[in-house]
């Protein structure tokens, strides 16, 4: 059985950038529902109950057809949101430092170009989805997925091991439920505020630097 993880900070900790009411609904209702529905999908599937969330999402094509889409949507939702809470934080966010800044500079030229490209990718998502920074081998790239799809569902490129494979190190939820209460239709304002609560130490940890 998968469990809803607690937020690693108080619901109001990201104020004023992300408001408390949005965090409560987003965590206690939306994320909780993904966890519940993932557990329901696996209820009568003993062969798949011992797999980790990552293993499930990396082997969707091997799952029985009747649960494949449910695991994709609800398992993806559980995985993506668990990461999302962690890569935000109430600390004074500032800018990426040290080796993380070096890796971003190497892949994108400089930090402002990185932020601009990530922002454009986030704005360009039609409907619900996520923007990502993905590590593949020693490259970082910006991608986007629809719905609750995650980069870890995607096969890695030939010659790249899964261990050093396609792993998201930063993700931004642009479903309207992530911002509509405070920002209504103004996704650009939400993204601008979100940069102020990114926990760059956690992003660096995920990159392995
Ligand atoms: Mn969400």
């Amino acid at each position: 059985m998968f469990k809803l993880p607690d937020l690693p900070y108080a619901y109001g900790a990201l104020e004023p950038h992300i408001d408390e009411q949005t965090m409560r609904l987003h965590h206690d209702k939306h994320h909780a529902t993904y966890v519940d529905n993932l557990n329901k999908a696996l209820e009568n599937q003993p062969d798949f109950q011992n797999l980790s969330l990552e293993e499930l999402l990396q082997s969707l094509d091997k799952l029985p057809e009747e649960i494949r889409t449910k695991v994709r949507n609800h398992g993806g939702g559980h995985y993506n949101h668990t990461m999302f809470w962690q890569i935000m934080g109430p600390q004074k966010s500032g800018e990426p430092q040290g080796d993380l800044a070096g890796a971003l500079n190497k892949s994108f030229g400089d930090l402002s170009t990185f932020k601009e490209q990530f922002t454009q990718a986030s704005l360009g998502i039609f409907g619900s989805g996520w923007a990502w920074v993905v590590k593949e081998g020693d490259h970082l790239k910006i991608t986007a997925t629809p719905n609750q799809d995650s980069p870890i569902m995607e096969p890695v490129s030939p010659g790249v091991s899964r261990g050093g494979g396609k792993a998201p190190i930063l993700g931004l939820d642009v479903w309207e439920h992530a911002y509509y209460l405070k920002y209504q239709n103004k996704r650009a304002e939400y993204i601008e505020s979100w940069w102020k609560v990114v926990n760059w130490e956690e992003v660096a940890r995920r990159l392995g630097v």
Side-chain angles (χ1 to χ4, degrees):
M1 293 281 280
F2 291 100
K3 280 170 105 173
L4 178 68
D6 290 335
L7 273 189
Y9 35 75
Y11 291 98
L14 306 181
E15 294 265 10
H17 309 296
I18 312 285
D19 60 294
E20 177 171 346
Q21 192 188 4
T22 294
M23 290 299 287
R24 284 189 183 279
L25 288 168
H26 202 174
H27 177 271
D28 294 3
K29 304 294 180 195
H30 291 279
H31 189 173
T33 301
Y34 295 126
V35 175
D36 288 346
N37 286 335
L38 174 61
N39 286 329
K40 275 184 205 145
L42 295 170
E43 218 161 45
N44 299 314
Q45 301 286 341
D47 290 352
F48 301 97
Q49 287 168 353
N50 292 324
L51 296 183
S52 69
L53 184 55
E54 288 81 358
E55 286 167 335
L56 284 168
L57 298 179
Q58 287 170 356
S59 52
L60 288 172
D61 54 343
K62 299 185 184 71
L63 300 182
E65 204 178 334
E66 69 263 29
I67 65 165
R68 193 177 303 149
T69 301
K70 289 176 186 162
V71 172
R72 179 181 197 139
N73 290 339
H74 301 290
H78 179 30
Y79 181 85
N80 292 342
H81 287 83
T82 299
M83 172 179 181
F84 191 53
W85 313 134
Q86 293 170 354
I87 57 88
M88 299 190 290
Q91 77 296 331
K92 286 208 165 39
S93 168
E95 298 290 337
Q97 303 293 327
D99 290 344
L100 172 61
L104 290 167
N105 286 333
K106 191 174 155 213
S107 295
F108 302 104
D110 56 57
L111 290 176
S112 66
T113 304
F114 157 66
K115 280 192 171 180
E116 178 58 25
Q117 288 182 10
F118 188 90
T119 297
Q120 288 307 320
S122 306
L123 286 170
I125 294 166
F126 182 74
S128 298
W130 292 73
W132 304 98
V133 177
V134 171
K135 175 178 76 162
E136 191 177 27
D138 53 6
H139 292 288
L140 296 180
K141 59 182 185 180
I142 294 168
T143 65
T145 56
N147 306 315
Q148 293 297 351
D149 286 0
S150 170
I152 71 154
M153 296 173 183
E154 298 165 11
V156 295
S157 302
V160 177
S161 74
R162 176 58 81 179
K166 208 173 260 187
I169 63 165
L170 180 68
L172 173 58
D173 186 348
V174 297
W175 284 57
E176 283 187 343
H177 70 223
Y179 62 89
Y180 203 84
L181 285 178
K182 182 175 170 76
Y183 296 98
Q184 294 84 48
N185 60 324
K186 293 168 283 203
R187 188 188 285 182
E189 288 183 19
Y190 160 64
I191 296 168
E192 200 181 324
S193 293
W194 175 78
W195 284 118
K196 302 189 175 102
V197 296
V198 173
N199 179 353
W200 292 112
E201 286 179 11
E202 173 62 17
V203 179
R205 192 191 68 76
R206 286 171 178 270
L207 180 60
V209 299

